[in-house]
Amino acid sequence: MLVSGNGSHAVGRSGHTAAAEVSTSPRQFQRGIAGVRAMVDVGVEHGVPVLACLDGSGVDRDALADDTAHVRAWQELVVARNLVRATGDAPGLGLEVGSRIPLRTYSVWGFALLASPTLREAAAVGLRYLELTFAMVGIHLQEDRDEVRLVLDDGLVPQPVRHFFVEREMANIRTILDTIVGRPFTPLRLDLRFPQPEEPAPYEAFADTPIAFGAPRNAIVTLAAALDQSLPQADRHTMQVCERECDLLLARRADTGLAARVRDLLTQWPDGIPDMGVAAAELYVSTRTLHRRLAVERTSYRRLVDEVRHARAVEMLSTRGLGVDQIAARLGYADAATFIRAFRRWTGATPGAYRTGVPTRRF
């Protein structure tokens, strides 16, 4: 979740006293199941039963094993509260969870960072598409003279889980940086707003980095020059392809109305694609009403099915080792040839060529 400016907010030095700053905050958007899964896994290791972790969240236990499952931010907050309460807000709990969310779980967002030519460009991608991540805190990148501060603003996070989410994001950022840089990334220091714990063991993962507890802000601090270092897996074409896919995902998540509900239904449908009558029944409307209201929103059921198939196909090709036949079946196509034709129409490439162009093997 390293973030920086986008095309309209350049990050750079802004004089001899002021710091350049850009920021963003997460919204109540849909996200993958990996964040909840990591919390449950850590909870079980601390003696917290799975159902106790999920209590009140509306997340089904079976969804934890489904990489295509999605949850809302509020559901993730409920699971975090359960975990923090059950473990007595143990220091380092968030660090354990954050280190278990690898870059590959972010699908095309992660690939875009990995393929960026420099850390600065990876940062710009990170901010522009932050809503495709598991971030729960606001993230600000400040560049001032020779230092860069990646500030984690926990002001919008409920008090009982602030400590947890600051730790989680810091550990996850460290994991992401290690991956895209290709070696352990060592910051100049960490600034943490909370007091120093009596037991420092949980912070041994940052043993090579000075930690300032009781600081005025939560931040990862490093040299500004680090932003301009080249990344080992740079591939501008791949980055641009992934950015286009991120744009599509963001546009779909920003939609409201019945079309958005249909997309959610299709995205979470366990196998294949339901026909329009089944979908209408699930949404408690008639087929005729569904058709009419989608037309008012300038779309159609067929178009939404096509969009969801596109998004799910890209996700499965990017993050899972499924064959073309398997993906075609999961998307409800009669055969692989029909799926291949559709995929070529969406992306201009065959599934095999697309998979080769995305560096899944480099994670």
Side-chain angles (χ1 to χ4, degrees), residues 288-302:
R288 179 176 296 180
T289 298
L290 178 59
H291 176 79
R292 185 181 69 251
R293 288 177 58 183
L294 290 179
V296 170
E297 295 182 31
R298 297 187 176 183
T299 189
S300 67
Y301 189 73
R302 177 177 293 181

Side-chain angles (χ1 to χ4, degrees), residues 5 149 185 196 244 286 298 331 357:
R149 294 186 295 274
F185 185 90
Q196 181 171 350
R244 288 197 294 271
S286 68
R298 297 187 176 183
L331 295 179

Side-chain angles (χ1 to χ4, degrees), residues 27-30 72 131 247-264 294 297-299 303-304 307:
R27 301 188 305 190
Q28 295 298 306
F29 53 90
Q30 199 178 60
R72 297 287 182 180
E131 293 185 1
D247 281 329
L248 289 171
L249 288 173
L250 271 188
R252 291 165 189 150
R253 293 185 183 188
D255 282 348
T256 57
L258 186 60
R261 292 171 59 197
V262 172
R263 285 193 186 93
D264 284 347
L294 290 179
E297 295 182 31
R298 297 187 176 183
T299 189
R303 182 179 299 174
L304 295 176
E307 291 177 2

Side-chain angles (χ1 to χ4, degrees), residues 116-360:
S116 298
T118 67
L119 203 54
R120 185 181 297 276
E121 290 176 90
V125 171
L127 175 58
R128 191 177 305 126
Y129 305 111
L130 186 68
E131 293 185 1
L132 300 179
T133 74
F134 305 105
M136 296 295 290
V137 303
I139 300 180
H140 313 256
L141 186 69
Q142 301 174 335
E143 184 174 356
D144 188 9
R145 296 182 180 175
D146 296 328
E147 282 191 354
V148 171
R149 294 186 295 274
L150 187 62
V151 180
L152 278 63
D153 182 3
D154 58 16
L156 296 178
V157 179
Q159 179 65 43
V161 291
R162 283 182 182 174
H163 188 153
F164 170 82
F165 278 117
V166 168
E167 287 187 342
R168 190 188 80 164
E169 311 305 10
M170 282 199 165
N172 193 218
I173 289 166
R174 178 71 177 268
T175 298
I176 290 172
L177 285 170
D178 288 352
T179 302
I180 65 176
V181 173
R183 54 180 170 75
F185 185 90
T186 305
L188 288 178
R189 70 177 187 278
L190 299 182
D191 293 339
L192 297 173
R193 290 204 307 137
F194 41 86
Q196 181 171 350
E198 295 182 5
E199 177 53 62
Y203 295 91
E204 289 179 355
F206 292 95
D208 53 356
T209 304
I211 302 177
F213 291 94
R217 66 178 71 85
N218 303 303
I220 298 175
V221 184
T222 191
L223 291 173
L227 290 179
D228 295 313
Q229 65 177 291
S230 298
L231 298 181
Q233 299 187 42
D235 185 327
R236 188 171 294 279
H237 173 71
T238 296
M239 182 187 74
Q240 291 170 346
V241 169
C242 292
E243 284 186 283
R244 288 197 294 271
E245 296 297 337
C246 287
D247 281 329
L248 289 171
L249 288 173
L250 271 188
R252 291 165 189 150
R253 293 185 183 188
D255 282 348
T256 57
L258 186 60
R261 292 171 59 197
V262 172
R263 285 193 186 93
D264 284 347
L265 175 68
L266 295 175
T267 299
Q268 298 178 44
W269 199 259
D271 291 302
I273 295 289
D275 64 36
M276 191 173 179
V278 173
E282 288 287 326
L283 295 169
Y284 300 101
V285 297
S286 68
T287 303
R288 179 176 296 180
T289 298
L290 178 59
H291 176 79
R292 185 181 69 251
R293 288 177 58 183
L294 290 179
V296 170
E297 295 182 31
R298 297 187 176 183
T299 189
S300 67
Y301 189 73
R302 177 177 293 181
R303 182 179 299 174
L304 295 176
V305 167
D306 202 49
E307 291 177 2
V308 169
R309 279 173 162 165
H310 178 182
R312 290 177 65 182
V314 167
E315 180 181 16
M316 285 188 275
L317 284 168
S318 302
T319 61
R320 288 188 272 174
L322 297 177
V324 171
D325 288 336
Q326 293 172 297
I327 294 175
R330 293 193 180 200
L331 295 179
Y333 285 99
D335 52 53
T338 307
F339 164 61
I340 291 170
R341 285 195 297 272
F343 195 85
R344 188 190 292 274
R345 173 168 50 84
W346 298 326
T347 67
T350 65
Y354 185 91
R355 174 175 269 160
T356 300
V358 176
T360 54

Side-chain angles (χ1 to χ4, degrees), residues 54-67:
L54 299 178
D55 184 45
S57 69
V59 178
D60 189 271
R61 179 173 186 164
D62 293 339
L64 296 174
D66 182 2
D67 288 339

